[in-house]
Amino acid sequence: MGRVFGEIEGVAVGATFADREALHRAGVHRPLQAGISGAAADGADSIVLNEGYEDDIDRGDEIIYTGHGGRDPSTGRQLADQKLTLGNRALAHSMLEGLPVRVIRGPKLKSAFAPPSGYRYDGLYLVDDYWTTTGKSGFQIIQFRLTRYAEDRSAWPQPTAPTAEELKTPSRRSTTVQRIIRSTATANRVKLLHNHACQVCGVRLETPAGPYAEGAHIMPLGMPHSGPDTASNILCLCPNHHVLFDDGAVGVNDDFTLIGVPGRLRTVRRHPVAAEVLRHHRERHGLASKDLP
Ligand SMILES: [Zn+2]
């Protein structure tokens, strides 16, 4: 089963689990020891706050969480610098993609918000910043600020890594239920097909947490257009061209020449773009080719 971002069905905020094994079985936090559950390439789906590291701050709805690495496993003392790798990089990736992180507080946490016993699921948080600083130990540590996310959770993204078969068949529908989301499994697949390079300008944004691009639905998913969440309705764009495309400053002709900027849409064979959705986009924004200077 893939990594689940967001709520776990049947687990309410405030649900308490006897131990790490119970958290693992419920799918709330999979690793039995690690504090961060995640992978650098897909983000962190949950963290456990338990030990109360010297540089952590817990204000309930806002948490300053120190990453992992460089600690003596028996004493928990910091003995070396931390690096933006493994779980730390996964948390950075969650910030990049705006993914929700389940936060669990454990009984050993030195905070007013610690549960009296067991491990309590405290809901979803977003990573909104991270930085490197010198910790109280004198070593470089990586810290993350997580803030509680309390809105409607029905719209959380569920990114999944594409299978080899999915990469071969771009038209295959994702099994993800269609929702109005920022990052669908299909959008992630399209980004991989373009190696995260913008289809308008070719730029691939490199960040310490990995390459960044956005999956732009040509015909929007939401009402009233109700476009499909299929690869042929998605472009891989840099944030600038995503804004310009959504606002109709940039369009694409049937022959893939661009409107509003010079050049042609960059295409790859395994990612065909549907002419009818491009036409729909042009019509929605009054971008008929003949009207252009
Ligand atoms: Zn671009």
Side-chain angles (χ1 to χ4, degrees), residues 187 190 194 199-200 214-222 225-237 241-242 245-248 250-254 256 265-267 271-285 287:
V190 168
H194 290 276
Q199 286 187 256
V200 169
E214 297 181 352
H217 286 86
I218 302 167
M219 189 187 286
L221 294 181
H225 310 297
S226 301
D229 186 30
T230 52
S232 61
N233 185 38
I234 294 174
L235 296 177
C236 173
L237 298 177
H241 283 122
H242 191 178
F245 185 81
D246 280 357
D247 291 345
V250 166
V252 185
N253 287 311
D254 282 354
F256 294 148
L265 188 75
R266 289 149 200 266
T267 54
H271 174 221
V273 176
E276 59 269 30
V277 291
L278 290 176
R279 199 171 307 132
H280 182 271
H281 176 264
R282 293 197 303 271
E283 284 168 4
R284 221 164 61 238
H285 294 287
L287 288 175

